[in-house]
Amino acid sequence: MALNVLILAETIDVDTSSAGKANFAMITSLLAENVILKVYHYSHKEVHIPGIKTILIQENKKDFYYWLSRAQRIFQRNTKINFSKLLEARFGFSFTFKNDVNSMVAVLQKEVPSSYDVVLCLSKGSSFRTHAALLKLPQYHRKWMAYVHDPYPFNWYPNPYNWKEAGSLQKEHFFKEVANSAMWLGYPSEHLRVWMGQFDLNFKEKGVLLPHQIPHRISRKTLPDFFDSNDFNVLHAGNLLEQRNPFYLIEAWGLFLEARPNARNCSQLLLIGPGNFHEPKLSELCSTEETIYRYSGFMDYGVVLELERQSSVNIVLEAEADISPFLPAKFPNLILTNRPLLHLGPKKSEVRRLLGSDYSCVAELQDTQAIANQLILLFDRWNSGELHIQSYSADLKYYLSSAYLKETLNHLITMH
């Protein structure tokens, strides 16, 4: 009998955020396994996926919190006084958050929970509005899979993410309620499951590993003019947050060019994606080195995927830390490319766990000489024609596959 899944997603728009890309990939992976899907989403635009019924949730303008949020905006615009943080410190969440949640609740109340095997909620960033909505619908709780893509709230992030936010105590209470009420907690990462378990045992004991998925149904795009597929191309595509310091990599690139002067005419380091915290220094530094290409604007998701497929080496750059419990949403696609993946980050990380202890193309982020040595080895292999494919294990590829995803959900339902 076919698996029937109801999904509540905050966004499925691949052009807005990494969450949109990850959520879209999760949905299309389930579709690839012939899972029957119905998707409610709050993407603020229509998103159509052939073979799936996608329903855009409209903001409920009759809700009490809608009018409170609008009144707050008008008051702040007229007085130039922003008291959002004060309100969140008092109530835990903004009026807009509460209105969005109630808009989702109103729609799901019309559904029949018994029609579905699993109810999966997917959020974005630090929002978790979908989780707040399902929490208010106890009729769904025995079938509820709450997907936890990142630590939440901000004060539960590991160092060096020393993020704080208003209403943290209320947010902690809210998320512990989610852990207590949901039947399962889905994680893209084993390290994240264990990390969250220190705050409440439910986070660990109810945890199920559902890694990010390889994107389906994204058409191949033409490579941009700045990319020459005949060159030794080293690509980092993704958001360079404050904690993801790109300057170690740039310094290592300089050391690599000093060691291999012949690489100057046939090599390129590509830094694609925003990095506002590091600007303008980042772009200014890149402009002084002709072998570095910096692109900080929006780039079509399909083009980024094609760059990853065609680059000689792909980079996963993480924070300088003792632990990194995150699985980057791009990781499955990087494995699928069969290109070498250069991991720059801590030894205790989900990426290293999945690549295996014998995977050698790694370096600590702050160790510029070690990074340069890896680039030299990779370039020498490329220059001699030996850098063709990276042989990742069949077990890893299966773990990241849609077949594993479906098998895991079927197992949960059978055991339920």
Side-chain angles (χ1 to χ4, degrees):
M1 191 170 180
L3 187 63
N4 200 328
V5 177
L6 176 65
I7 293 178
L8 176 63
E10 195 157 344
T11 180
I12 56 174
D13 184 359
V14 298
D15 292 327
T16 57
S17 65
S18 59
K21 298 174 178 64
N23 293 347
F24 180 89
M26 180 72 73
I27 291 166
T28 54
S29 276
L30 289 170
L31 181 62
E33 293 297 320
N34 298 312
V35 174
I36 300 172
L37 296 170
K38 187 173 186 179
V39 179
Y40 286 96
H41 65 102
Y42 209 69
S43 306
H44 301 289
K45 61 179 281 190
E46 294 285 355
V47 180
H48 299 289
I49 305 174
I52 302 175
K53 187 174 184 180
T54 58
I55 303 166
L56 175 64
I57 300 174
Q58 302 290 344
E59 187 177 33
N60 184 1
K61 296 184 178 181
K62 296 180 181 179
D63 187 77
F64 174 65
Y65 287 109
Y66 172 85
W67 294 106
L68 280 180
S69 65
R70 294 306 180 273
Q72 178 189 341
R73 291 181 190 177
I74 293 171
F75 179 83
Q76 290 181 172
R77 185 167 60 244
N78 292 336
T79 63
K80 310 301 181 186
I81 300 172
N82 189 337
F83 56 95
S84 299
K85 297 300 181 185
L86 291 174
L87 288 173
E88 284 199 42
R90 173 66 179 84
F91 299 108
F93 303 93
S94 68
F95 294 143
T96 300
F97 178 99
K98 291 177 179 291
N99 174 234
D100 293 343
V101 168
N102 287 347
S103 300
M104 296 175 189
V105 169
V107 170
L108 287 193
Q109 280 179 331
K110 300 174 184 178
E111 285 286 343
V112 180
S114 60
S115 301
Y116 303 97
D117 299 304
V118 178
V119 179
L120 173 64
C121 65
L122 306 170
S123 285
K124 66 176 183 179
S126 61
S127 173
F128 290 96
R129 282 162 164 79
T130 57
H131 297 60
L134 264 297
L135 191 60
K136 299 179 76 169
L137 296 166
Q139 64 269 34
Y140 284 101
H141 289 182
R142 283 186 53 78
K143 298 184 177 184
W144 180 17
M145 166 75 76
Y147 197 72
V148 182
H149 57 273
D150 280 329
Y152 181 88
F154 273 157
N155 55 296
W156 284 357
Y157 266 71
N159 289 327
Y161 294 89
N162 297 314
W163 289 336
K164 302 294 181 184
E165 60 185 332
S168 59
L169 290 178
Q170 296 96 320
K171 290 177 171 68
E172 286 180 17
H173 176 72
F174 150 63
F175 222 52
K176 286 181 179 180
E177 280 194 295
V178 169
N180 183 62
S181 301
M183 180 58 60
W184 309 284
L185 297 164
Y187 295 98
S189 159
E190 168 64 9
H191 276 304
L192 179 57
R193 182 185 73 89
V194 174
W195 177 264
M196 290 298 291
Q198 68 185 297
F199 304 110
D200 189 300
L201 276 178
N202 280 316
F203 285 117
K204 184 177 180 180
E205 293 175 353
K206 293 184 177 183
V208 179
L209 292 182
L210 299 177
H212 293 309
Q213 295 292 295
I214 294 165
H216 295 72
R217 298 186 170 225
I218 302 292
S219 58
R220 287 185 175 269
K221 299 296 177 71
T222 303
L223 289 167
D225 292 338
F226 64 77
F227 187 89
D228 186 343
S229 57
N230 294 314
D231 284 348
F232 176 66
N233 293 292
V234 179
L235 170 67
H236 178 272
N239 193 351
L240 290 168
L241 300 173
E242 174 185 350
Q243 293 78 12
R244 297 173 187 162
N245 186 339
F247 298 111
Y248 294 119
L249 172 59
I250 292 172
E251 182 181 346
W253 184 258
L255 295 174
F256 154 65
L257 293 175
E258 288 177 12
R260 294 293 185 271
N262 59 320
R264 279 199 165 274
N265 296 324
C266 57
S267 300
Q268 190 168 215
L269 173 63
L270 307 164
L271 301 176
I272 308 297
N276 294 338
F277 178 83
H278 307 288
E279 299 293 2
K281 179 183 176 181
L282 177 57
S283 291
E284 290 172 353
L285 185 60
C286 291
S287 66
T288 64
E289 174 51 66
E290 62 181 4
T291 63
I292 300 179
Y293 182 82
R294 171 83 182 115
Y295 187 88
S296 60
F298 166 78
M299 186 171 288
D300 182 272
Y301 183 42
V303 174
V304 174
L305 291 177
E306 196 60 33
L307 286 172
E308 291 173 347
R309 294 183 187 112
Q310 299 295 330
S311 289
S312 309
V313 179
N314 285 292
I315 292 177
V316 170
L317 189 153
E318 301 196 90
E320 185 179 353
D322 294 327
I323 182 174
S324 179
F326 314 99
L327 180 66
K330 66 181 178 180
F331 181 80
N333 188 60
L334 300 189
I335 297 301
L336 187 66
T337 66
N338 287 322
R339 305 281 180 163
L341 189 162
L342 175 56
H343 179 247
L344 308 181
K347 294 178 182 177
K348 191 175 183 180
S349 68
E350 188 68 7
V351 171
R352 295 273 186 104
R353 185 185 79 84
L354 294 178
L355 291 174
S357 58
D358 59 345
Y359 187 80
S360 61
C361 194
V362 298
E364 300 288 313
L365 177 63
Q366 67 276 17
D367 193 341
T368 54
Q369 189 58 61
I371 299 172
N373 291 342
Q374 289 292 342
L375 292 170
I376 292 167
L377 289 171
L378 289 163
F379 174 77
D380 288 347
R381 286 173 56 196
W382 174 85
N383 200 35
S384 63
E386 297 175 359
L387 190 69
H388 299 301
I389 62 171
Q390 175 68 45
S391 181
Y392 297 105
S393 72
D395 286 345
L396 175 57
K397 290 182 177 180
Y398 177 72
Y399 175 71
L400 299 170
S401 72
S402 58
Y404 172 85
L405 176 64
K406 183 181 181 182
E407 179 186 315
T408 302
L409 292 179
N410 274 330
H411 177 73
L412 292 176
I413 294 167
T414 301
M415 299 296 292
H416 182 27

